[in-house]
């Protein structure tokens, strides 16, 4: 049986990595060994970045809710606790949207929270 060399598979693997490294600066986009390291690190960072983005959005929503709640005379923690006592289950993303786009509706929720705290 004839021997089959692995050049075609190696070339395919190299091209796959170099395609992912397209746009990188210098040797990172030209040389396989350097590109492979850069791509591995970039893929790791992108995974971590997707998790980090969720944390950053939650922080943003909380900051917006806190600002709007304080404008209505209540701190963020007391507002959230009042909503919990009232049995209002609205997530932070929606509360943040309400704080920006529907100030009257948010003020009504603050009043509900205040009555439960009193």
């Amino acid at each position: 049986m004839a021997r089959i060399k692995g050049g075609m598979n190696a070339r395919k693997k190299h091209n796959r990595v170099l395609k992912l490294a397209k746009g990188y600066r210098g040797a990172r986009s030209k040389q396989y060994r350097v590109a492979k390291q850069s791509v591995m690190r970039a893929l790791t960072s992108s995974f971590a970045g997707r998790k980090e983005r969720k944390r950053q959005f939650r922080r943003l929503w909380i900051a917006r809710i806190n600002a709007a709640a304080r404008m209505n005379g209540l701190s963020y923690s007391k507002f959230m606790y009042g909503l919990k006592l009232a049995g209002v289950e609205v997530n932070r993303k929606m509360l943040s949207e309400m704080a920006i786009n529907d100030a009257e509706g948010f003020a009504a929720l603050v009043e509900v929270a205040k009555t439960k705290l009193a």
Side-chain angles (χ1 to χ4, degrees), residues 47-98:
F47 179 82
R50 287 193 296 275
K51 306 297 172 196
E52 182 66 31
R53 181 173 51 203
K54 293 167 181 60
R55 293 179 214 142
Q56 289 174 352
F57 268 109
R58 185 180 167 95
R59 286 174 60 187
L60 175 67
W61 298 330
I62 289 173
R64 286 176 176 171
I65 295 166
N66 188 23
R70 285 183 186 275
M71 285 171 59
N72 288 294
L74 212 57
S75 71
Y76 169 78
S77 60
K78 288 180 181 171
F79 172 62
M80 294 305 283
Y81 183 60
L83 288 181
K84 184 178 179 183
L85 289 178
V88 178
E89 293 184 13
V90 182
N91 63 21
R92 285 164 181 79
K93 182 178 180 180
M94 290 300 110
L95 285 172
S96 169
E97 285 295 315
M98 281 183 73

Side-chain angles (χ1 to χ4, degrees), residues 17 28 31-41:
V17 170
R28 290 170 182 257
Q31 298 172 1
Y32 171 70
R33 189 182 296 180
V34 184
K36 182 178 164 192
Q37 293 171 355
S38 298
V39 165
M40 281 183 359
R41 184 180 180 100

